[in-house]
Amino acid sequence: MTRPDLIVIGGGPAGASIAALAALRGARTVLIEKDRFPRDKVCGEFLSPEGCAVLARLGLLDALIAKGAMPMDACLLADAKGRSVEAPLPDLPRAGRTAFGISRAVLDETLLNHAASCGVTVREHVVAIRPLLEAGRVTGVTTRPANAGGGDEEVGATLVIAADGRRSMLQRALHPAIGDPLTTSPTSWFGFKAHFPDRTRGLSRRIELYVFDGGYAGLGPVEGGRLDLALIARVDALSACGNSPQRLFEERMLQNPLLAERLRSDPHCSPWKTIGPLRFNVRTPASHGAIFLGDAAGTIDPFSGEGMSNALRSAELAFPFVIDALASGGLTPASARAWSSVWRGAFAPVTRRARLFGRIFQYPRPASLAMSLLRLPHGARWLPSLVAATRTGVV
Ligand SMILES: Cc1cc2nc3c(=O)[nH]c(=O)nc-3n(C[C@H](O)[C@H](O)[C@H](O)COP(=O)(O)OP(=O)(O)OC[C@H]3O[C@@H](n4cnc5c(N)ncnc54)[C@H](O)[C@@H]3O)c2cc1C
C-alpha cells in the first residue's frame, strides 16, 4: 500500500467525517474500522440539531431524511411515579430546534459510504492493535484482520487520528494510567438498547426521558416505524435484577405508567444489545503527535443526547489543525496545544455538566425533587434550559 498522509482509526461519526473532509482536500487517507458496516450500536439514536447542522454541511442530511429519519422538536421528562413535564427543545442559535432519530446502522453506514465516495480507503473488519512510536511520536499503527485470518501489518502516515470511541486503543496505549475501561466498580454504568414497534406515530415529535431507580432511559422514534429505547443503569440496579436487561425493563421501567402506555405489552422487537462498563469523562484531545476526536477525546453522559453531535463537530473543528499538520509534516507542539484548547473550550464544560445532571437523575430523591421543581407553575420553562445546559450549542 502507498504510504498514506493520514490514518484515521474508527469509522463512527467522528472518524468517517474527518476522513471525508481530509480526503476532499486531497489527503491520501486510510480509515481503519474493526467492524463491518452496517452494524447496530447501543445508542439513543437521537441526533441533536447541532449534529444535524454538521450533516447538512456534509451534504448528507437530506439523504438521511429520505431514508426515514424522524423529526423531534420537543422533550418530555418523566419520573418513576409517572409525573412528567414537557417543553419544546431549546432553539439554539444557528442550530434551530429540530433533532432527528435515525438508527446507527443507517447513519454510520451513510457516513462511511460518503467517506469512501470522497476518496478515503476504508478498511473494514481490521483492528488497529497498537501505535507505532518513534521518538515519542505516533508515526502509524499496527493492524490485524478482525477475523484472525492474515498477519499483522504496519502502516505509517504523517498524522494519526484516533476516533476509536470511548475505549480508544490509542488513549490506553499512550496513557496507561487511565486504567482498564472494562473494570467494573460499584459506580459503573451499563448501557442497553432495543427497538420496539412504534404505535405512537413518531411520539408526537418528542424525545422522552424516563427516570427510574438506578438509571434513566431515552425513548425516541427512528426510521422503519420503530422506537429506540436506550437506557443506562447503575451496576447495583442491574445486579438487583439478576443482570438481566429484560428484568430491569419489566421490574423497574415498566412501573412508569407513561412508558408502559407507550410500549404497551409489546415484546421488544429486537434483542437487548448491551455495552459497559461505561465511564463519562474528559481525556486528552492531542498527545504524542496524534489527534483524538469524538468519544476518544471525551465521553459525554447520554443524558445530553450530544455524543454523536460532539463527535461530528469535533471533526469539523479539528479539520484546520489536520490540514496544517499534513502541510507541516506532522502535528507541531503549538498546534497540539491550540487544538486541545479549542476542544476543551467546546466540549469539556458540557461533558462535566452532563455528568452532573445524569447523576442527579439516577437517584430517586434528587430526581423527584428536580421533577417537583419543574412541575411548579412556570417550572416547565426551566426544562429547555436544563436540556440546553448539557448541549454545546457549538455549530
Ligand atoms: C446508552 C447510550 C445512549 C446514547 N445515546 C445517544 C444519543 O441518543 N445521541 C447521541 O448523540 N449520542 C448518544 N450516545 C453517545 C454516542 O453513542 C457516542 O458519543 C458516539 O457514538 C461517539 O462517536 P465516535 O465516532 O466518537 O465513536 P463511535 O461511534 O464509538 O465509533 C468508534 C468506531 O471505532 C471503531 N473502533 C474502535 N476501536 C477500534 C480499533 N482498535 N481499530 C479499529 N476500529 C476501532 C468502532 O468499531 C467504532 O465503529 C449514547 C451512548 C450510550 C452509551
Side-chain angles (χ1 to χ4, degrees), residues 188-209:
S188 290
W189 294 81
F190 282 78
F192 306 95
K193 159 183 152 175
H195 283 142
F196 292 76
D198 180 5
R199 310 209 190 280
T200 69
R201 294 212 199 112
L203 268 187
S204 310
R205 295 174 68 110
R206 276 192 308 253
I207 176 74
E208 300 190 341
L209 290 172

Side-chain angles (χ1 to χ4, degrees), residues 75-95:
C75 58
L76 176 143
L77 178 68
D79 71 6
K81 296 175 188 153
R83 298 182 303 170
S84 67
V85 56
E86 184 183 342
L89 285 175
D91 195 359
L92 297 181
R94 297 190 305 282

Side-chain angles (χ1 to χ4, degrees), residues 9-15 32-35 37 39 41-48 104 108 126-129 163-169 191-192 230-232 275 278 280 293-296 299-300 302 305-309 311:
I9 313 171
I32 296 159
E33 167 55 53
K34 71 177 169 59
D35 288 335
F37 286 20
R39 55 101 176 85
K41 192 169 172 80
V42 175
C43 183
E45 303 183 326
F46 169 88
L47 192 57
S48 78
R104 292 300 296 267
D108 290 16
V126 174
V127 189
I129 54 169
D164 48 351
R166 63 196 172 80
R167 280 185 186 150
S168 170
M169 172 282 291
F192 306 95
L231 58 125
I232 65 169
I275 48 162
L278 300 167
F280 308 112
L293 295 181
D295 275 14
T299 306
I300 192 165
E306 280 292 86
M308 291 188 283
S309 295

Side-chain angles (χ1 to χ4, degrees), residues 32-34 123 125-130 142-153:
I32 296 159
E33 167 55 53
K34 71 177 169 59
R123 299 184 64 199
H125 226 208
V126 174
V127 189
I129 54 169
R130 60 178 166 265
T142 302
T143 66
R144 182 173 292 173
N147 59 7
D152 294 358
E153 190 186 342

Side-chain angles (χ1 to χ4, degrees), residues 48 81 103 117 140 188 212 216 220 227 256 265 276 291 310 363 374 388:
S48 78
K81 296 175 188 153
S103 70
S117 74
S188 290
F212 60 93
Y216 58 86
L227 294 176
N256 186 310
S265 54
I291 285 178
N310 289 359
Y363 293 101
L374 286 166

